[in-house]
Amino acid sequence: MKNTMYIFLAIFISVFTTGCDNNDDNLNDQTDFGYEQYGENFDNVPDPEDAVIYQVNLRAFSEEGTIDAVTQRLDYIKELGANVVYLMPIYPVGVENSAGGLGSPYAVRDYKAVSSEFGSLEDLQSLVEEAHNRDMAVVLDWVANHTAWDNVWVTEHPEYYERNEEGNFMPPTGTNWNDVIQLDFENPELQDAMIDAMAYWVYNANIDGFRMDAADYVPEGFWTDAVTEIRGIKDQDMLMLAEGGEQRHLRSGFDYIFGFNFFETLKEIQDGAPASEVQMAHAEEYQNVYNDNKRVVRYTTNHDVNLSDGTPLELFGGIDGSIANFVVAAYMKSVPMIYNGQEIGYDQRLEFFTQTPIDWSTGDQQVFNEYQEIIDFRKNSEALQVGEYKGYSSNDMVAFTMESEEETVLVLSNIRDNETGFLIPQNLQGEWQNVFEGSTQNLEGQISLPSYSYLVLKK
């Protein structure tokens, strides 16, 4: 009887183990999209917390408005300190019901083509290869929620779209985006087609990730599947950015969400709100984030707000104020994003429905050098990259520390248009090293900073 029990137990364990192995094999299986991989794996994709993102508006970045023109200036972007190049949409733009000008790049007519306006697939392949040669990753903008009215799917797969009560295609509900129509994510075939289209670029251009436009409008289940599938294509890290403020995207596997509320809070402080509100915005954006590798992308401008709200110079009190705010956005347990032109203090709003080339000759080299210095310290500071955040902000001063096992960094930023004092907490008193001047500074009692200035110390 005992031997019989042992035999039964052995058979049970064997069957159970075999079943587990089969499940593991299934988990490790990669979807065969039927594309051939172009290029080599890129082994130097930055860790999510180490990224510095540079956003390129192709219609503004150069006179030519092309992908090749970006390739020609990769050394410039690298010199600034960015290690991720994020390209706004490169796809053919819809002309039916266009919003004017050249049409919105976010009204996609064909998900598997490069617009002739911007160049060719070969141009994109060249840009990615040259970026990789410089240890820079390349991320494409992806528009999953909606398409142009004349997208190829409209005639080939009309079932991919939502309809209104009259049975007609419709813009996304609750928006005024009349140049685009809503996709139906209840349709599993649409979901498969969308993931396949994303995979096309990973295979055919060897890109290193996506920035997902309007991510809050798309169901969590789709994002979970899409992120998992995309990460499984190549044996390398992939950067996945959700342009959304909902923390569910981090559960779906994204590395980043966007700091919409943080940006709005910086504007409110400029208008007189307590500086301490930046701590509440930070806490809200991280309140349910339990994976310490996840980050909020923060900025003082991007293509949307630059056009609708104003340049950083308009919003934050000129050059000095824009940089003092950028230090806060870049250093407060975040990943910084820079929009082309801000690093030279460019004072013109940039269109993206028309070509409005940046006049790089008007750039301020001192401003560039200051951004470069700020970014360089972040890239070399363990505390800023992976440290623990603690807030000390007052009514008029943004103050916080980032602390790791190796160092503590203290940031004081006066984003007011007047001299501001700050009472030094007892635990922060003592000797510190001024990061940018190399001098020693003893903190005790109270310190005052001139308007729109900042102090970064470490020990």
Side-chain angles (χ1 to χ4, degrees), residues 245-272:
E246 298 177 6
Q247 291 173 330
R248 64 181 172 92
H249 304 308
L250 302 178
R251 294 194 301 269
S252 296
F254 283 99
D255 300 300
Y256 310 110
I257 56 176
F258 271 44
F260 296 133
N261 188 42
F262 196 87
F263 172 77
E264 293 299 327
T265 300
L266 290 178
K267 289 199 306 177
E268 290 168 3
I269 294 171
Q270 185 66 33
D271 291 335

PDB file of all heavy atoms in Angstrom, residues 245-272:
ATOM      1  N   GLY A 245      -2.318  60.724 -16.941  1.00  0.00           N
ATOM      2  CA  GLY A 245      -2.051  60.962 -15.538  1.00  0.00           C
ATOM      3  C   GLY A 245      -2.554  59.869 -14.620  1.00  0.00           C
ATOM      4  O   GLY A 245      -2.338  59.937 -13.405  1.00  0.00           O
ATOM      5  N   GLU A 246      -3.241  58.843 -15.177  1.00  0.00           N
ATOM      6  CA  GLU A 246      -3.834  57.799 -14.348  1.00  0.00           C
ATOM      7  C   GLU A 246      -2.789  56.742 -13.989  1.00  0.00           C
ATOM      8  O   GLU A 246      -2.099  56.216 -14.863  1.00  0.00           O
ATOM      9  CB  GLU A 246      -5.024  57.171 -15.073  1.00  0.00           C
ATOM     10  CG  GLU A 246      -6.142  58.170 -15.346  1.00  0.00           C
ATOM     11  CD  GLU A 246      -7.299  57.565 -16.119  1.00  0.00           C
ATOM     12  OE1 GLU A 246      -7.291  56.333 -16.353  1.00  0.00           O
ATOM     13  OE2 GLU A 246      -8.213  58.326 -16.498  1.00  0.00           O
ATOM     14  N   GLN A 247      -2.728  56.396 -12.723  1.00  0.00           N
ATOM     15  CA  GLN A 247      -1.691  55.471 -12.255  1.00  0.00           C
ATOM     16  C   GLN A 247      -1.931  54.034 -12.712  1.00  0.00           C
ATOM     17  O   GLN A 247      -1.030  53.200 -12.620  1.00  0.00           O
ATOM     18  CB  GLN A 247      -1.581  55.556 -10.738  1.00  0.00           C
ATOM     19  CG  GLN A 247      -1.014  56.889 -10.280  1.00  0.00           C
ATOM     20  CD  GLN A 247      -1.061  57.065  -8.778  1.00  0.00           C
ATOM     21  OE1 GLN A 247      -1.946  56.530  -8.118  1.00  0.00           O
ATOM     22  NE2 GLN A 247      -0.126  57.820  -8.242  1.00  0.00           N
ATOM     23  N   ARG A 248      -3.104  53.750 -13.257  1.00  0.00           N
ATOM     24  CA  ARG A 248      -3.368  52.409 -13.786  1.00  0.00           C
ATOM     25  C   ARG A 248      -2.376  52.044 -14.884  1.00  0.00           C
ATOM     26  O   ARG A 248      -2.107  50.866 -15.123  1.00  0.00           O
ATOM     27  CB  ARG A 248      -4.788  52.313 -14.332  1.00  0.00           C
ATOM     28  CG  ARG A 248      -5.079  53.219 -15.528  1.00  0.00           C
ATOM     29  CD  ARG A 248      -6.533  53.073 -15.993  1.00  0.00           C
ATOM     30  NE  ARG A 248      -6.918  54.031 -16.997  1.00  0.00           N
ATOM     31  CZ  ARG A 248      -6.839  53.822 -18.306  1.00  0.00           C
ATOM     32  NH1 ARG A 248      -6.367  52.679 -18.774  1.00  0.00           N
ATOM     33  NH2 ARG A 248      -7.254  54.747 -19.158  1.00  0.00           N
ATOM     34  N   HIS A 249      -1.822  53.049 -15.556  1.00  0.00           N
ATOM     35  CA  HIS A 249      -0.880  52.763 -16.630  1.00  0.00           C
ATOM     36  C   HIS A 249       0.386  52.096 -16.104  1.00  0.00           C
ATOM     37  O   HIS A 249       1.008  51.301 -16.807  1.00  0.00           O
ATOM     38  CB  HIS A 249      -0.516  54.051 -17.371  1.00  0.00           C
ATOM     39  CG  HIS A 249      -1.697  54.778 -17.917  1.00  0.00           C
ATOM     40  ND1 HIS A 249      -2.643  54.162 -18.713  1.00  0.00           N
ATOM     41  CD2 HIS A 249      -2.113  56.064 -17.783  1.00  0.00           C
ATOM     42  CE1 HIS A 249      -3.575  55.044 -19.042  1.00  0.00           C
ATOM     43  NE2 HIS A 249      -3.275  56.203 -18.490  1.00  0.00           N
ATOM     44  N   LEU A 250       0.752  52.391 -14.874  1.00  0.00           N
ATOM     45  CA  LEU A 250       1.919  51.743 -14.285  1.00  0.00           C
ATOM     46  C   LEU A 250       1.619  50.276 -13.999  1.00  0.00           C
ATOM     47  O   LEU A 250       2.497  49.422 -14.124  1.00  0.00           O
ATOM     48  CB  LEU A 250       2.348  52.482 -13.024  1.00  0.00           C
ATOM     49  CG  LEU A 250       2.694  53.970 -13.229  1.00  0.00           C
ATOM     50  CD1 LEU A 250       3.056  54.629 -11.900  1.00  0.00           C
ATOM     51  CD2 LEU A 250       3.829  54.127 -14.239  1.00  0.00           C
ATOM     52  N   ARG A 251       0.381  49.970 -13.638  1.00  0.00           N
ATOM     53  CA  ARG A 251      -0.023  48.569 -13.475  1.00  0.00           C
ATOM     54  C   ARG A 251       0.000  47.840 -14.812  1.00  0.00           C
ATOM     55  O   ARG A 251       0.244  46.631 -14.870  1.00  0.00           O
ATOM     56  CB  ARG A 251      -1.426  48.479 -12.868  1.00  0.00           C
ATOM     57  CG  ARG A 251      -1.549  48.994 -11.447  1.00  0.00           C
ATOM     58  CD  ARG A 251      -2.877  48.555 -10.824  1.00  0.00           C
ATOM     59  NE  ARG A 251      -4.038  49.020 -11.557  1.00  0.00           N
ATOM     60  CZ  ARG A 251      -4.664  50.166 -11.321  1.00  0.00           C
ATOM     61  NH1 ARG A 251      -4.200  50.990 -10.378  1.00  0.00           N
ATOM     62  NH2 ARG A 251      -5.742  50.505 -12.015  1.00  0.00           N
ATOM     63  N   SER A 252      -0.264  48.564 -15.886  1.00  0.00           N
ATOM     64  CA  SER A 252      -0.270  47.955 -17.209  1.00  0.00           C
ATOM     65  C   SER A 252       1.132  47.677 -17.731  1.00  0.00           C
ATOM     66  O   SER A 252       1.274  47.050 -18.780  1.00  0.00           O
ATOM     67  CB  SER A 252      -1.011  48.866 -18.206  1.00  0.00           C
ATOM     68  OG  SER A 252      -2.368  48.992 -17.860  1.00  0.00           O
ATOM     69  N   GLY A 253       2.147  48.149 -17.021  1.00  0.00           N
ATOM     70  CA  GLY A 253       3.512  47.862 -17.418  1.00  0.00           C
ATOM     71  C   GLY A 253       4.297  49.047 -17.940  1.00  0.00           C
ATOM     72  O   GLY A 253       5.483  48.911 -18.278  1.00  0.00           O
ATOM     73  N   PHE A 254       3.660  50.215 -18.044  1.00  0.00           N
ATOM     74  CA  PHE A 254       4.393  51.401 -18.483  1.00  0.00           C
ATOM     75  C   PHE A 254       5.459  51.787 -17.464  1.00  0.00           C
ATOM     76  O   PHE A 254       5.307  51.551 -16.261  1.00  0.00           O
ATOM     77  CB  PHE A 254       3.432  52.579 -18.664  1.00  0.00           C
ATOM     78  CG  PHE A 254       2.615  52.523 -19.926  1.00  0.00           C
ATOM     79  CD1 PHE A 254       1.307  52.068 -19.907  1.00  0.00           C
ATOM     80  CD2 PHE A 254       3.162  52.924 -21.134  1.00  0.00           C
ATOM     81  CE1 PHE A 254       0.552  52.019 -21.066  1.00  0.00           C
ATOM     82  CE2 PHE A 254       2.414  52.878 -22.302  1.00  0.00           C
ATOM     83  CZ  PHE A 254       1.109  52.426 -22.270  1.00  0.00           C
ATOM     84  N   ASP A 255       6.522  52.393 -17.966  1.00  0.00           N
ATOM     85  CA  ASP A 255       7.571  52.925 -17.089  1.00  0.00           C
ATOM     86  C   ASP A 255       7.180  54.273 -16.507  1.00  0.00           C
ATOM     87  O   ASP A 255       7.623  54.634 -15.418  1.00  0.00           O
ATOM     88  CB  ASP A 255       8.879  53.103 -17.871  1.00  0.00           C
ATOM     89  CG  ASP A 255       9.391  51.803 -18.444  1.00  0.00           C
ATOM     90  OD1 ASP A 255       9.658  50.881 -17.648  1.00  0.00           O
ATOM     91  OD2 ASP A 255       9.517  51.698 -19.682  1.00  0.00           O
ATOM     92  N   TYR A 256       6.369  55.021 -17.266  1.00  0.00           N
ATOM     93  CA  TYR A 256       6.108  56.421 -16.908  1.00  0.00           C
ATOM     94  C   TYR A 256       4.636  56.787 -17.090  1.00  0.00           C
ATOM     95  O   TYR A 256       3.959  56.266 -17.967  1.00  0.00           O
ATOM     96  CB  TYR A 256       6.901  57.375 -17.808  1.00  0.00           C
ATOM     97  CG  TYR A 256       8.368  57.083 -17.951  1.00  0.00           C
ATOM     98  CD1 TYR A 256       8.892  56.606 -19.152  1.00  0.00           C
ATOM     99  CD2 TYR A 256       9.247  57.295 -16.888  1.00  0.00           C
ATOM    100  CE1 TYR A 256      10.243  56.355 -19.298  1.00  0.00           C
ATOM    101  CE2 TYR A 256      10.598  57.045 -17.018  1.00  0.00           C
ATOM    102  CZ  TYR A 256      11.095  56.573 -18.224  1.00  0.00           C
ATOM    103  OH  TYR A 256      12.433  56.319 -18.364  1.00  0.00           O
ATOM    104  N   ILE A 257       4.202  57.720 -16.269  1.00  0.00           N
ATOM    105  CA  ILE A 257       3.015  58.510 -16.546  1.00  0.00           C
ATOM    106  C   ILE A 257       3.460  59.965 -16.643  1.00  0.00           C
ATOM    107  O   ILE A 257       4.620  60.283 -16.364  1.00  0.00           O
ATOM    108  CB  ILE A 257       1.919  58.333 -15.467  1.00  0.00           C
ATOM    109  CG1 ILE A 257       2.471  58.670 -14.071  1.00  0.00           C
ATOM    110  CG2 ILE A 257       1.344  56.930 -15.514  1.00  0.00           C
ATOM    111  CD1 ILE A 257       1.421  58.623 -12.970  1.00  0.00           C
ATOM    112  N   PHE A 258       2.564  60.850 -17.047  1.00  0.00           N
ATOM    113  CA  PHE A 258       2.929  62.250 -17.250  1.00  0.00           C
ATOM    114  C   PHE A 258       2.429  63.111 -16.095  1.00  0.00           C
ATOM    115  O   PHE A 258       1.331  62.902 -15.580  1.00  0.00           O
ATOM    116  CB  PHE A 258       2.352  62.764 -18.575  1.00  0.00           C
ATOM    117  CG  PHE A 258       3.274  62.550 -19.742  1.00  0.00           C
ATOM    118  CD1 PHE A 258       3.945  61.352 -19.907  1.00  0.00           C
ATOM    119  CD2 PHE A 258       3.478  63.547 -20.679  1.00  0.00           C
ATOM    120  CE1 PHE A 258       4.795  61.143 -20.979  1.00  0.00           C
ATOM    121  CE2 PHE A 258       4.324  63.349 -21.754  1.00  0.00           C
ATOM    122  CZ  PHE A 258       4.985  62.153 -21.911  1.00  0.00           C
ATOM    123  N   GLY A 259       3.239  64.107 -15.745  1.00  0.00           N
ATOM    124  CA  GLY A 259       2.931  64.974 -14.610  1.00  0.00           C
ATOM    125  C   GLY A 259       2.064  66.158 -14.996  1.00  0.00           C
ATOM    126  O   GLY A 259       2.475  67.318 -14.812  1.00  0.00           O
ATOM    127  N   PHE A 260       0.851  65.891 -15.496  1.00  0.00           N
ATOM    128  CA  PHE A 260      -0.056  66.968 -15.863  1.00  0.00           C
ATOM    129  C   PHE A 260      -0.323  67.891 -14.673  1.00  0.00           C
ATOM    130  O   PHE A 260      -0.246  69.122 -14.780  1.00  0.00           O
ATOM    131  CB  PHE A 260      -1.395  66.405 -16.352  1.00  0.00           C
ATOM    132  CG  PHE A 260      -1.315  65.588 -17.599  1.00  0.00           C
ATOM    133  CD1 PHE A 260      -1.945  64.364 -17.684  1.00  0.00           C
ATOM    134  CD2 PHE A 260      -0.626  66.043 -18.713  1.00  0.00           C
ATOM    135  CE1 PHE A 260      -1.896  63.611 -18.833  1.00  0.00           C
ATOM    136  CE2 PHE A 260      -0.570  65.296 -19.874  1.00  0.00           C
ATOM    137  CZ  PHE A 260      -1.208  64.070 -19.935  1.00  0.00           C
ATOM    138  N   ASN A 261      -0.662  67.295 -13.538  1.00  0.00           N
ATOM    139  CA  ASN A 261      -1.021  68.083 -12.362  1.00  0.00           C
ATOM    140  C   ASN A 261       0.177  68.855 -11.820  1.00  0.00           C
ATOM    141  O   ASN A 261       0.042  69.985 -11.348  1.00  0.00           O
ATOM    142  CB  ASN A 261      -1.609  67.172 -11.275  1.00  0.00           C
ATOM    143  CG  ASN A 261      -2.185  67.947 -10.115  1.00  0.00           C
ATOM    144  OD1 ASN A 261      -2.851  68.959 -10.306  1.00  0.00           O
ATOM    145  ND2 ASN A 261      -1.923  67.492  -8.903  1.00  0.00           N
ATOM    146  N   PHE A 262       1.356  68.247 -11.904  1.00  0.00           N
ATOM    147  CA  PHE A 262       2.573  68.915 -11.434  1.00  0.00           C
ATOM    148  C   PHE A 262       2.819  70.190 -12.234  1.00  0.00           C
ATOM    149  O   PHE A 262       3.116  71.252 -11.661  1.00  0.00           O
ATOM    150  CB  PHE A 262       3.761  67.966 -11.576  1.00  0.00           C
ATOM    151  CG  PHE A 262       4.975  68.376 -10.806  1.00  0.00           C
ATOM    152  CD1 PHE A 262       5.145  67.994  -9.488  1.00  0.00           C
ATOM    153  CD2 PHE A 262       5.968  69.139 -11.407  1.00  0.00           C
ATOM    154  CE1 PHE A 262       6.276  68.369  -8.775  1.00  0.00           C
ATOM    155  CE2 PHE A 262       7.101  69.523 -10.712  1.00  0.00           C
ATOM    156  CZ  PHE A 262       7.248  69.135  -9.390  1.00  0.00           C
ATOM    157  N   PHE A 263       2.666  70.096 -13.546  1.00  0.00           N
ATOM    158  CA  PHE A 263       2.849  71.276 -14.403  1.00  0.00           C
ATOM    159  C   PHE A 263       1.834  72.359 -14.052  1.00  0.00           C
ATOM    160  O   PHE A 263       2.193  73.550 -13.936  1.00  0.00           O
ATOM    161  CB  PHE A 263       2.720  70.868 -15.871  1.00  0.00           C
ATOM    162  CG  PHE A 263       2.697  72.027 -16.824  1.00  0.00           C
ATOM    163  CD1 PHE A 263       3.861  72.701 -17.149  1.00  0.00           C
ATOM    164  CD2 PHE A 263       1.505  72.451 -17.398  1.00  0.00           C
ATOM    165  CE1 PHE A 263       3.849  73.772 -18.026  1.00  0.00           C
ATOM    166  CE2 PHE A 263       1.477  73.520 -18.273  1.00  0.00           C
ATOM    167  CZ  PHE A 263       2.650  74.187 -18.588  1.00  0.00           C
ATOM    168  N   GLU A 264       0.564  71.964 -13.904  1.00  0.00           N
ATOM    169  CA  GLU A 264      -0.463  72.950 -13.571  1.00  0.00           C
ATOM    170  C   GLU A 264      -0.188  73.593 -12.211  1.00  0.00           C
ATOM    171  O   GLU A 264      -0.444  74.787 -12.018  1.00  0.00           O
ATOM    172  CB  GLU A 264      -1.844  72.296 -13.578  1.00  0.00           C
ATOM    173  CG  GLU A 264      -2.317  71.841 -14.947  1.00  0.00           C
ATOM    174  CD  GLU A 264      -2.440  72.985 -15.949  1.00  0.00           C
ATOM    175  OE1 GLU A 264      -2.780  74.119 -15.516  1.00  0.00           O
ATOM    176  OE2 GLU A 264      -2.190  72.757 -17.145  1.00  0.00           O
ATOM    177  N   THR A 265       0.334  72.822 -11.281  1.00  0.00           N
ATOM    178  CA  THR A 265       0.655  73.355  -9.957  1.00  0.00           C
ATOM    179  C   THR A 265       1.773  74.388 -10.036  1.00  0.00           C
ATOM    180  O   THR A 265       1.720  75.432  -9.367  1.00  0.00           O
ATOM    181  CB  THR A 265       1.048  72.222  -9.001  1.00  0.00           C
ATOM    182  OG1 THR A 265      -0.054  71.307  -8.890  1.00  0.00           O
ATOM    183  CG2 THR A 265       1.390  72.754  -7.619  1.00  0.00           C
ATOM    184  N   LEU A 266       2.796  74.120 -10.850  1.00  0.00           N
ATOM    185  CA  LEU A 266       3.865  75.114 -11.032  1.00  0.00           C
ATOM    186  C   LEU A 266       3.299  76.422 -11.559  1.00  0.00           C
ATOM    187  O   LEU A 266       3.711  77.515 -11.127  1.00  0.00           O
ATOM    188  CB  LEU A 266       4.928  74.574 -11.986  1.00  0.00           C
ATOM    189  CG  LEU A 266       5.817  73.439 -11.483  1.00  0.00           C
ATOM    190  CD1 LEU A 266       6.780  72.985 -12.579  1.00  0.00           C
ATOM    191  CD2 LEU A 266       6.596  73.850 -10.233  1.00  0.00           C
ATOM    192  N   LYS A 267       2.353  76.345 -12.477  1.00  0.00           N
ATOM    193  CA  LYS A 267       1.719  77.569 -12.998  1.00  0.00           C
ATOM    194  C   LYS A 267       0.931  78.283 -11.902  1.00  0.00           C
ATOM    195  O   LYS A 267       0.966  79.519 -11.803  1.00  0.00           O
ATOM    196  CB  LYS A 267       0.786  77.227 -14.160  1.00  0.00           C
ATOM    197  CG  LYS A 267       1.488  76.805 -15.435  1.00  0.00           C
ATOM    198  CD  LYS A 267       0.573  76.936 -16.640  1.00  0.00           C
ATOM    199  CE  LYS A 267      -0.726  76.206 -16.473  1.00  0.00           C
ATOM    200  NZ  LYS A 267      -1.645  76.377 -17.609  1.00  0.00           N
ATOM    201  N   GLU A 268       0.220  77.513 -11.068  1.00  0.00           N
ATOM    202  CA  GLU A 268      -0.572  78.116 -10.000  1.00  0.00           C
ATOM    203  C   GLU A 268       0.313  78.810  -8.970  1.00  0.00           C
ATOM    204  O   GLU A 268      -0.045  79.873  -8.435  1.00  0.00           O
ATOM    205  CB  GLU A 268      -1.430  77.040  -9.328  1.00  0.00           C
ATOM    206  CG  GLU A 268      -2.550  76.521 -10.216  1.00  0.00           C
ATOM    207  CD  GLU A 268      -3.203  75.270  -9.669  1.00  0.00           C
ATOM    208  OE1 GLU A 268      -2.821  74.832  -8.556  1.00  0.00           O
ATOM    209  OE2 GLU A 268      -4.083  74.700 -10.350  1.00  0.00           O
ATOM    210  N   ILE A 269       1.463  78.217  -8.693  1.00  0.00           N
ATOM    211  CA  ILE A 269       2.403  78.855  -7.761  1.00  0.00           C
ATOM    212  C   ILE A 269       2.895  80.175  -8.347  1.00  0.00           C
ATOM    213  O   ILE A 269       3.034  81.186  -7.641  1.00  0.00           O
ATOM    214  CB  ILE A 269       3.581  77.914  -7.449  1.00  0.00           C
ATOM    215  CG1 ILE A 269       3.085  76.692  -6.675  1.00  0.00           C
ATOM    216  CG2 ILE A 269       4.677  78.626  -6.655  1.00  0.00           C
ATOM    217  CD1 ILE A 269       4.123  75.595  -6.513  1.00  0.00           C
ATOM    218  N   GLN A 270       3.150  80.186  -9.655  1.00  0.00           N
ATOM    219  CA  GLN A 270       3.569  81.424 -10.310  1.00  0.00           C
ATOM    220  C   GLN A 270       2.504  82.499 -10.155  1.00  0.00           C
ATOM    221  O   GLN A 270       2.811  83.692 -10.065  1.00  0.00           O
ATOM    222  CB  GLN A 270       3.829  81.147 -11.785  1.00  0.00           C
ATOM    223  CG  GLN A 270       4.385  82.319 -12.572  1.00  0.00           C
ATOM    224  CD  GLN A 270       5.779  82.716 -12.127  1.00  0.00           C
ATOM    225  OE1 GLN A 270       6.564  81.879 -11.713  1.00  0.00           O
ATOM    226  NE2 GLN A 270       6.089  84.009 -12.201  1.00  0.00           N
ATOM    227  N   ASP A 271       1.235  82.078 -10.077  1.00  0.00           N
ATOM    228  CA  ASP A 271       0.125  83.019  -9.938  1.00  0.00           C
ATOM    229  C   ASP A 271      -0.201  83.340  -8.486  1.00  0.00           C
ATOM    230  O   ASP A 271      -1.187  84.025  -8.217  1.00  0.00           O
ATOM    231  CB  ASP A 271      -1.123  82.466 -10.626  1.00  0.00           C
ATOM    232  CG  ASP A 271      -0.971  82.424 -12.142  1.00  0.00           C
ATOM    233  OD1 ASP A 271      -0.169  83.215 -12.673  1.00  0.00           O
ATOM    234  OD2 ASP A 271      -1.651  81.600 -12.788  1.00  0.00           O
ATOM    235  N   GLY A 272       0.609  82.808  -7.544  1.00  0.00           N
ATOM    236  CA  GLY A 272       0.436  83.189  -6.144  1.00  0.00           C
ATOM    237  C   GLY A 272       0.066  82.082  -5.187  1.00  0.00           C
ATOM    238  O   GLY A 272       0.007  82.304  -3.977  1.00  0.00           O
TER     239      GLY A 272
END
